[in-house]
Amino acid sequence: MNFRHEWKHPINYADLLAVRQRLRAVAGPDSHAPEGKYFVRSLYFDTPSDTALREKLDGVNWREKFRIRYYNRDPSLIRLEKKSKRNSLCRKESAALSQAEAQAAADGVLDWMPDCGRPLVRELYRKMTCQLLRPKTIVDYTREAFVYAPGNVRVTLDYDIRTGLGCTDFLNSRCITVPARDAPVILEVKWDEFLPSVIQDAVQLNNRRASAFSKYAACRVYG
């Protein structure tokens, strides 16, 4: 998979209302959001010295992070994802996990990983054994997503960002999450070779600039 361009803009709720209306006029809804929005739950991994968090806060140009994710509180489809970042370019790799595999990874049970036949799972195994990568926190949020075929554009609006604090039992629907302190709405735009002007106009906001905001970092604010 090639790297894609990525913009992130922290915005407020009034901005969300404006951008949402513009996008509805020019772009289509994402196929994962038949009702216009969906719920995302992720479990993020990091090292004992918080390498992923520190590299994010320090603005390291080449970095990566691992997470396990499912949608709409339905754990029948779970994905292991690795997101790599190179300056303003990003790439996401993924592999399917069963509920039992996801729970095992969250619990630090690794013996099933080497022979699973999925390269990304084997990479996570190497980093859990060599770098001591382990689950750190749950990140919950609501997402509205739009797609535009020219340029393979995807625009998302993420809000109600919540943290599981130190909880990593992300398959437990009763796991309590709390609002991440001062977390804004996040407008994110991804595209391949070019960003069509109609989308540029739709997401344009006065006095808003691209920022390296991280939902994971925001959800680690409590530790």
Side-chain angles (χ1 to χ4, degrees), residues 186-205:
I186 303 301
L187 166 64
E188 187 172 301
V189 186
K190 294 181 181 177
W191 71 97
D192 287 344
E193 298 301 324
F194 71 99
L195 181 61
S197 59
V198 65
I199 298 297
Q200 293 187 51
D201 292 341
V203 301
Q204 184 65 43
L205 293 165

Side-chain angles (χ1 to χ4, degrees), residues 140-157:
D140 287 345
Y141 57 92
T142 298
R143 165 166 286 179
E144 298 181 29
F146 301 84
V147 294
Y148 189 77
N152 190 24
V153 179
R154 190 165 189 264
V155 183
T156 56
L157 296 161

